[in-house]
Amino acid sequence: MSLFLSKKALSISPSSTLAIDAKFKSMKAKGIDVVGFGAGEPDFDTPAHIKEAAIKAINEGFTKYTPASGMPQLREAVCRKFKRDNGLDYSPEQIVVSNGAKHSLVNAFMAICDPGDEVIIPAPFWVSYPEMVKMADGVPVFLNTSEENNFKFTVEDLKKAITAKTRALVLNSPSNPTGMVYSREELKEIAEVAVQNNIYIISDEIYEKLIYDGMEHTSIATFGDEIKDLTIIINGVSKTYAMTGWRIGYTASNAKIAKVMGSIQSHATSNPNSIAQVAAIAALDGPQDDIEVMRKAFIERRDYMVDRINSIEGLSCSKPQGAFYVMMNIKSILGKEFYGRVITNSDEFADVLLEKANVALVPGSGFGAEEYVRWSYATSMQNIVEGLNRIEKFIKKEL
């Protein structure tokens, strides 16, 4: 018996970041001394007051369905967050709470894309963006950037990429995987181009609180009513409050778009987890002190990682301004032989490194950056030191 599978489903690639993390965890479970830098989640625990709110909700029996787009109380809390942190006014009907920011992105692409619509995705990009666009019958169009320009595109680059079929631009600042941050001036220029061409901005701001070196996060939706109407902000509690497993993300958008996204979600998942929604209210409205503790730890880890990578002959990296990732340049390594294998791409580099040095990094191929691999410094300093010791021995062929 032959099984039929849809062409669209077969065109979707699995997540390379989750694949590396799964392999790392499998090796770890077998007792192998492996150090992993793959997963994009803080290694800190969820703050106590957030967990206590969830426990209270369970004990009080808050375990039933909620409205599909999220509890009114949580949507109101999200509105308060946008006013407090971003200077943006939204009403609860403009907010859709979903099962993580990843789910929010899927809803957004499903809401705005017709078959053949193009979505511009700057590269390097988070691995899931192109696959999500394809799931929504859209066409991902990649806008390449360079490390020399801090992995940012210019408005001239953007104008050249826009066609009659362009529906949206994905904007991720701070960025996964590069950690770059667009300045207020750069965002204003991008907003003007979007308004002139009537294209949506999918503004992924999930790392907005993890920003360094005096940089400030600016939401592109702040540059007037026209760009605000065209912007779908993606955010959530995963990175800011170390709540990755709680799966609460949210969008802010024009009310018409929010209604469509809510309808899609009502059929796909019913509603986000009720207990996690209560926890998210506690996160957004409660003390914010833990964020700064985490942010300072990330700065220390980033600085050590960047300095150490740049001290190893054949390797280099730029210093990220946000998030918790470093894109390591391996151009000088490609074409050379290591431990009996000639390294021709980032996948081979990551594979040999894992096999010989027991260090798990994510190949840049999944991010549209073949000459790079991604480190996550959302792990302990002890792991970072050990991982960098191992990779230095690997490069020097001293293993």
Side-chain angles (χ1 to χ4, degrees):
M1 180 179 69
S2 61
L3 297 175
F4 174 81
L5 294 170
S6 78
K7 292 179 181 178
K8 181 165 73 172
L10 291 171
S11 74
I12 306 301
S13 302
S15 168
S16 58
T17 53
L18 293 182
I20 286 289
D21 191 51
K23 190 170 183 178
F24 157 70
K25 288 175 179 174
S26 174
M27 294 174 70
K28 196 92 170 173
K30 293 175 183 176
I32 299 172
D33 181 22
V34 61
V35 187
F37 299 90
E41 61 178 346
D43 57 313
F44 296 86
D45 193 13
T46 303
H49 70 279
I50 298 173
K51 293 190 289 185
E52 288 165 5
I55 293 168
K56 185 172 183 287
I58 293 171
N59 289 334
E60 292 179 352
F62 192 72
T63 57
K64 308 299 183 183
Y65 292 131
T66 74
S69 295
M71 298 164 52
Q73 300 94 319
L74 177 52
R75 283 182 280 158
E76 289 167 2
V78 171
C79 291
R80 290 193 290 273
K81 172 258 177 286
F82 276 116
K83 181 65 174 178
R84 179 182 70 236
D85 296 345
N86 309 106
L88 287 166
D89 290 307
Y90 286 104
S91 56
E93 64 267 21
Q94 294 177 275
I95 307 300
V96 178
V97 181
S98 305
N99 297 284
K102 184 177 282 190
H103 184 201
S104 297
L105 282 158
V106 170
N107 285 343
F109 291 125
M110 292 283 286
I112 66 171
C113 286
D114 278 330
D117 282 346
E118 294 177 351
V119 177
I120 298 172
I121 303 175
F125 46 77
W126 178 49
V127 296
S128 292
Y129 291 142
E131 310 310 315
M132 291 172 170
V133 171
K134 289 189 283 185
M135 287 166 62
D137 290 321
V139 178
V141 174
F142 301 120
L143 180 56
N144 292 318
T145 66
S146 67
E147 187 174 6
E148 291 71 27
N149 197 43
N150 202 22
F151 297 111
K152 298 181 185 182
F153 65 86
T154 65
V155 289
E156 288 74 24
D157 298 328
L158 176 58
K159 289 175 182 178
K160 291 175 183 177
I162 294 173
T163 72
K165 294 182 178 180
T166 301
R167 177 67 65 200
L169 164 71
V170 175
L171 191 64
N172 180 208
S173 176
S175 162
N176 173 8
T178 66
M180 68 82 191
V181 177
Y182 281 97
S183 69
R184 182 175 180 83
E185 292 73 24
E186 291 166 332
L187 289 170
K188 186 176 181 181
E189 290 184 340
I190 294 168
E192 290 170 355
V193 173
V195 169
Q196 289 166 5
N197 291 273
N198 196 38
I199 60 174
Y200 288 112
I201 300 289
I202 308 295
S203 185
D204 186 346
E205 303 178 14
I206 193 71
Y207 295 98
E208 68 165 330
K209 295 292 186 178
L210 302 178
I211 199 164
Y212 320 118
D213 303 333
M215 295 291 292
E216 293 184 1
H217 171 74
T218 300
S219 176
I220 195 168
T222 58
F223 293 106
D225 291 340
E226 288 181 297
I227 189 62
K228 185 182 177 187
D229 266 352
L230 288 170
T231 299
I232 304 174
I233 298 177
I234 311 292
N235 211 322
V237 298
S238 292
K239 316 298 182 179
T240 300
Y241 302 100
M243 294 176 67
T244 51
W246 297 75
R247 308 313 303 136
I248 294 293
Y250 52 82
T251 57
S253 66
N254 178 293
K256 292 180 180 178
I257 301 171
K259 185 176 181 180
V260 172
M261 290 191 290
S263 296
I264 293 168
Q265 181 163 296
S266 71
H267 294 292
T269 64
S270 290
N271 62 268
N273 180 287
S274 59
I275 299 155
Q277 288 188 67
V278 173
I281 295 172
L284 294 171
D285 283 346
Q288 306 292 300
D289 302 346
D290 289 292
I291 302 172
E292 185 61 14
V293 172
M294 186 166 61
R295 196 184 71 87
K296 286 181 177 178
F298 285 149
I299 292 172
E300 181 184 5
R301 298 172 186 180
R302 176 203 64 166
D303 290 349
Y304 178 85
M305 183 177 283
V306 168
D307 289 346
R308 188 75 187 278
I309 287 172
N310 285 320
S311 73
I312 300 172
E313 186 175 355
L315 303 178
S316 66
C317 68
S318 298
K319 180 177 282 190
Q321 300 164 313
F324 41 67
Y325 308 105
V326 169
M327 284 296 271
M328 184 173 74
N329 189 319
I330 59 167
K331 292 178 184 179
S332 297
I333 302 301
L334 301 181
K336 295 181 179 178
E337 183 179 320
F338 285 84
Y339 306 95
R341 286 181 61 178
V342 176
I343 307 297
T344 62
N345 56 50
S346 62
D347 292 271
E348 290 179 356
F349 178 86
D351 188 51
V352 177
L353 184 67
L354 185 57
E355 178 186 337
K356 298 298 182 181
N358 288 347
V359 175
L361 301 179
V362 185
S365 56
F367 303 105
E370 187 57 79
E371 297 172 321
Y372 297 82
V373 291
R374 191 193 75 174
W375 293 75
S376 168
Y377 49 91
T379 186
S380 69
M381 183 63 84
Q382 180 182 351
N383 283 343
I384 291 170
V385 172
E386 178 61 24
L388 286 162
N389 285 344
R390 292 183 187 186
I391 199 170
E392 184 167 14
K393 289 181 181 179
F394 174 87
I395 295 296
K396 292 180 177 179
K397 303 179 181 178
E398 295 176 352
L399 293 174

